[in-house]
Amino acid sequence: MRLRVEFTTEPFDLDEAPAHALVAREVIEAAELDAVDVGPFGNTAEGGTDAVLTAVDVLLRRTLEAGATRVSLQLNVIGEGDR
């Protein structure tokens, strides 16, 4: 099964990226995921079930430790295949 995760971290800072946003980018770019798209107001990544769920676990823990006060995410099943 393949999953797509979409997420944002808050609070926002339009002047410079907050620490939690930088950590989120680091986690997602280091994970074994496909089709990573990191942007200022939302991020997406796709991959096999285990890779996505592992990345989400690390993402939640590290961004909260870095000062995020909210992490919004959505997970969607996008197809069969990798696990």
Side-chain angles (χ1 to χ4, degrees), residues 5-82:
V5 61
E6 301 174 42
F7 68 92
T8 58
T9 62
E10 297 179 42
F12 295 117
D13 183 340
L14 296 177
D15 294 326
E16 67 180 76
H20 58 80
L22 298 175
V23 166
R25 174 180 288 167
E26 176 185 302
V27 168
I28 291 302
E29 289 179 343
E32 295 181 21
L33 301 171
D34 308 320
V36 173
D37 183 21
V38 177
F41 299 108
N43 310 283
T44 61
E46 298 177 6
T49 301
D50 291 339
V52 170
L53 293 179
T54 297
V56 166
D57 178 53
V58 174
L59 173 79
L60 292 172
R61 293 174 190 277
R62 297 222 20 234
T63 56
L64 292 172
E65 290 170 358
T69 57
R70 177 185 297 203
V71 180
S72 302
L73 67 88
Q74 179 173 313
L75 267 168
N76 295 301
V77 175
I78 58 172
E80 299 299 317
D82 298 341

